[in-house]
Amino acid sequence: MSTECNEPRIAGAGSAPLPVESDLRADNPESGRVALVSKAVPIGASAIALAACGGGEGNSGSPATNSGAPPISAARKPQSEAEAARFLLQASFAADAGAISALRSEGFEPWLDRQMRQPNDVSAKAYFEGRGFDTVDANRFYNGTTTGDWMIWSQLLSGGNSLRKRFALALSEFFVVSLSDIDISWRGPAIGEYWDILNRNAFGSFRTLIEEISLNPAMGVFLNTRGNRRADPRTGRVPDENYGRELMQLFSIGLFELNPDGTPRTGGGQLIETYTNDDVTGIAEVFTGYDFDYSQTTSFPDPGNPGRTVAGVDFARRPMTADPSKWSRPRTEGFHSLEEKRFLGLVIPAGTNAPDSLRLALDHLVLHPNVGPFFARQMIQRLVTSNPSPGYVGRVAAVFANNVQGQRGDLGAMFKAILLDEEALSSANVNNPASGKLREPMLRFIQLARTFGVRSASGNFEVGSLSDPANRLGQSPLRSPSVFNFFRPGYFPTGSQTAANNLLAPEFQLVNETSVAGYVNFLERAVDMSAGFLRDLSLSYSAELPLAHDAVRLVDHLDLVLTAKQLSPSVAEAITAALGSIAVQESSAEPEKLRRIHAAVMLVMASTDYLVQK
């Protein structure tokens, strides 16, 4: 698959290729609006957009905060239910009464520490094994993607450890692998192992994470590492450069050199590129000679094709190997390049084997000064705000560089720094139009499910891809349309007030006339799970039923758990007035109460005060 910078597509059938980032301002129509204003920044929005093709964008907004302020004290506690709910909606997927109470009692950091100590409750592997989805039988689960969708919705819509899962989901939008483009057997378990890697390492080491990702079979297929061979002068074959390029451009250092606070470094008024084509050629040789590890794989008769066999599932989970004796067709020699390898100032001597080449390459890459600010800025964007100040990025990047114990790349410490920073916690930013971000469609659905106690009739969470913006949600987890994620970190809707104020709004790359109407239609069917593609799910409104007869109290309750009390008085009044047309008494039957509750939830979640998360 090609991954040139002008090839990402908006999710949904029939969508057109996006222009290259440097052309976004001139060619993209305005696709939405959000009330974001801020003073101009030193580098223009067009340069920021260019950097967003994978490199370091400049700061594009200055939220109201002291950029030199230290991270918040561990003693700080939420002073209100709204403050607690706001934090929970940044750190996890939903804010229920129990979580709000626990957070207010414990305080921000102790609550985070307790949550981070908890392992994932049910892994993707356990999901597949427990349901027989990794068994070769007449169902032929090995031959499709359906169970992969069911698995990820099961993980996100239900179960504990929502903090860990929230961070893993953010990581999945940085280290992208798409279920839509993994053409192997056992695609469900393969993407499940990738998800388990993100979960296992969400609070661990960046260095460990990036190695496990590099050797993962799903990634190996997605970006062509699997089967990548050393150069052959006789045929003109050269190593595939796909993974090596994206590892630098998207997964570590970006296109342009950055200052420690994430702002671009310049030379002679120009952005400075982080790597050259020679660096791409050099690092590509590191990722040669790898293939699936079949050393423990058993083959089974193919139920749908007599006379053929199907390899068991384990090869789709085991890290790829450069040992040719473990391949499906064992060989006496491998395909790893033994030539000298050079990139980014590193020289790997000739004759170095594949595991040592990988170790040296990743050690060198992770130490690059760009990694901290490049990675930190995008994680802040996913969790807190589209336009973090340089000070905010710098503080988080500093924690990535050194967790105070001398460790680089401590993801748990970095995520804590993101959530506990004054720029994230400050209540002043609730009213700051330069702060916040558009809620991603999949996060809205996950919040709906978790807030109102979703249940699966089958226990499988049988929800397929929701990528279609016209008839579904317009976004589905682990189904990015390209390696560039669902949207670029440097995107802004052209011709908008956002662009005029040099602000970014990445999620707005998913917004267009089709997706806006599609979301409202989806929401109308999702609040009561009446759509056929949601038939396996049901919601419980047990906490809302006692409030249904009192529209003011009902809206006030939903305002807390869905928006963290961010509905403006005028919007809350308009929703309350609209509910008045649905006559409900305290003695009314449950179906009548549910009708009003469904309408209230839909109106809140369709409001701009909800859609822009502060």
Side-chain angles (χ1 to χ4, degrees):
M1 60 178 289
S2 175
T3 57
E4 293 303 316
C5 281
N6 60 347
E7 292 218 352
R9 300 171 67 88
I10 297 176
S15 55
L18 294 172
V20 293
E21 298 289 348
S22 57
D23 294 335
L24 281 172
R25 178 179 291 277
D27 295 336
N28 271 12
E30 180 179 353
S31 58
R33 64 182 180 85
V34 58
L36 294 174
V37 295
S38 180
K39 64 184 181 180
V41 293
I43 187 166
S46 59
I48 294 172
L50 175 63
C53 191
E57 307 85 69
N59 174 57
S60 48
S62 301
T65 185
N66 175 6
S67 63
I72 204 67
S73 166
R76 182 165 174 174
K77 296 181 178 181
Q79 298 303 298
S80 66
E81 287 186 327
E83 190 176 350
R86 177 173 178 259
F87 180 85
L88 289 168
L89 293 179
Q90 292 174 339
S92 60
F93 294 120
D96 60 35
I100 289 173
S101 176
L103 179 60
R104 294 196 68 186
S105 174
E106 295 177 68
F108 294 112
E109 188 165 9
W111 182 88
L112 273 178
D113 288 338
R114 180 170 61 84
Q115 296 293 321
M116 292 171 71
R117 285 193 296 268
Q118 299 178 12
N120 190 15
D121 51 353
V122 178
S123 68
K125 181 180 180 182
Y127 172 90
F128 287 109
E129 290 178 342
R131 288 160 177 77
F133 292 160
D134 56 5
T135 301
V136 178
D137 58 24
N139 292 299
R140 304 189 76 202
F141 292 124
Y142 60 85
N143 199 36
T145 61
T146 300
T147 59
D149 289 312
W150 295 357
M151 175 279 300
I152 192 60
W153 285 123
S154 172
Q155 289 278 306
L156 297 176
L157 299 184
S158 69
N161 317 104
S162 62
L163 181 83
R164 179 180 292 274
K165 292 172 184 175
R166 179 67 190 92
F167 291 173
L169 187 62
L171 290 170
S172 78
E173 296 188 79
F174 185 84
F175 302 105
V176 175
V177 168
S178 178
L179 182 57
S180 302
D181 205 3
I182 305 174
D183 189 14
I184 57 170
S185 298
W186 299 113
R187 283 170 281 180
I191 200 70
E193 177 60 24
Y194 193 77
W195 174 253
D196 281 347
I197 286 172
L198 300 179
N199 267 278
R200 287 197 301 268
N201 294 286
F203 307 136
S205 160
F206 183 91
R207 172 62 179 80
T208 299
L209 173 61
I210 206 167
E211 179 166 340
E212 290 195 25
I213 284 171
S214 297
L215 295 178
N216 174 256
M219 177 63 83
V221 174
F222 186 62
L223 290 181
N224 310 123
T225 306
R226 187 250 170 157
N228 189 17
R229 300 185 178 191
R230 63 177 179 262
D232 186 345
R234 297 171 301 173
T235 64
R237 184 184 70 213
V238 296
D240 189 286
E241 298 177 350
N242 217 4
Y243 184 69
R245 178 188 296 107
E246 306 313 350
L247 179 61
M248 293 190 293
Q249 177 181 337
L250 300 176
F251 302 162
S252 58
I253 65 175
L255 286 176
F256 302 106
E257 292 187 11
L258 302 174
N259 293 309
D261 63 4
T263 55
R265 293 185 61 199
T266 58
Q270 301 295 317
L271 298 172
I272 305 171
E273 294 183 349
T274 52
Y275 60 85
T276 67
N277 191 62
D278 287 342
D279 293 315
V280 174
T281 301
I283 197 173
E285 295 184 53
V286 172
F287 300 102
T288 53
Y290 286 96
D291 208 327
F292 299 143
D293 181 352
Y294 286 98
S295 61
Q296 301 174 43
T297 301
T298 301
S299 293
F300 302 89
D302 185 346
N305 197 340
R308 299 190 63 181
T309 59
V310 176
V313 68
D314 61 288
F315 79 90
R317 294 186 174 125
R318 196 175 300 114
M320 292 186 300
T321 179
D323 181 351
S325 69
K326 297 180 179 180
W327 297 346
S328 59
R329 295 188 179 122
R331 297 175 58 92
T332 57
E333 62 176 335
F335 295 113
H336 179 69
S337 173
L338 296 176
E339 297 179 359
E340 181 182 84
K341 309 172 185 72
R342 293 175 175 263
F343 77 99
L344 299 178
L346 174 69
V347 178
I348 300 177
T352 305
N353 63 27
D356 288 340
S357 292
L358 179 69
R359 173 180 54 80
L360 292 169
L362 294 183
D363 285 350
H364 183 69
L365 197 60
V366 170
L367 288 175
H368 193 287
N370 255 40
V371 177
F374 180 72
F375 179 55
R377 190 170 191 275
Q378 292 189 51
M379 291 300 97
I380 294 171
Q381 286 185 312
R382 298 286 63 76
L383 298 172
V384 178
T385 179
S386 297
N387 295 278
S389 71
Y392 189 5
V393 175
R395 291 189 293 273
V396 174
V399 173
F400 179 92
N402 186 342
N403 68 351
V404 186
Q405 297 176 341
Q407 297 175 0
R408 180 176 178 80
D410 180 342
L411 297 178
M414 189 199 74
F415 278 125
K416 282 180 63 174
I418 290 173
L419 294 173
L420 298 177
D421 193 89
E422 180 63 25
E423 195 161 318
L425 292 180
S426 174
S427 59
N429 282 329
V430 173
N431 298 313
N432 176 14
S435 183
K437 65 185 184 70
L438 184 71
R439 294 182 199 266
E440 295 176 53
M442 62 183 176
L443 290 178
R444 304 171 207 166
F445 181 51
I446 296 167
Q447 184 185 7
L448 173 73
R450 284 184 171 267
T451 300
F452 303 112
V454 72
R455 292 291 184 271
S456 166
S458 67
N460 297 332
F461 287 83
E462 296 177 1
V463 182
S465 172
L466 299 182
S467 298
D468 188 338
N471 300 310
R472 297 292 189 268
L473 190 60
Q475 187 185 31
S476 213
L478 300 180
R479 277 197 180 268
S480 170
S482 84
V483 72
F484 295 95
N485 194 25
F486 303 97
F487 39 76
R488 300 292 186 86
Y491 177 81
F492 51 88
T494 59
S496 66
Q497 190 65 35
T498 302
N501 287 282
N502 284 334
L503 291 170
L504 304 176
E507 293 83 356
F508 266 86
Q509 197 166 354
L510 290 175
V511 178
N512 53 51
E513 292 179 357
T514 299
S515 68
V516 169
Y519 169 66
V520 175
N521 291 333
F522 174 87
L523 189 58
E524 182 181 19
R525 295 173 289 176
V527 293
D528 62 357
M529 297 298 176
S530 60
F533 55 86
L534 299 175
R535 63 184 176 275
D536 187 49
L537 305 183
S538 61
L539 299 177
S540 169
Y541 292 99
S542 57
E544 291 69 39
L545 283 168
L547 308 174
H549 67 285
D550 188 333
V552 173
R553 290 179 61 204
L554 177 60
V555 172
D556 186 65
H557 163 72
L558 295 177
D559 188 16
L560 173 64
V561 297
L562 293 176
T563 80
K565 291 287 187 179
Q566 292 178 21
L567 287 182
S568 65
S570 61
V571 171
E573 291 169 6
I575 294 174
T576 303
L579 296 179
S581 65
I582 306 173
V584 175
Q585 305 297 323
E586 190 169 5
S587 59
S588 296
E590 184 172 305
E592 296 174 1
K593 293 181 177 180
L594 286 173
R595 182 166 170 256
R596 176 180 270 191
I597 292 168
H598 294 161
V601 172
M602 178 178 173
L603 290 171
V604 170
M605 295 186 71
S607 71
T608 55
D609 289 347
Y610 168 78
L611 293 173
V612 177
Q613 180 179 357
K614 293 285 189 175

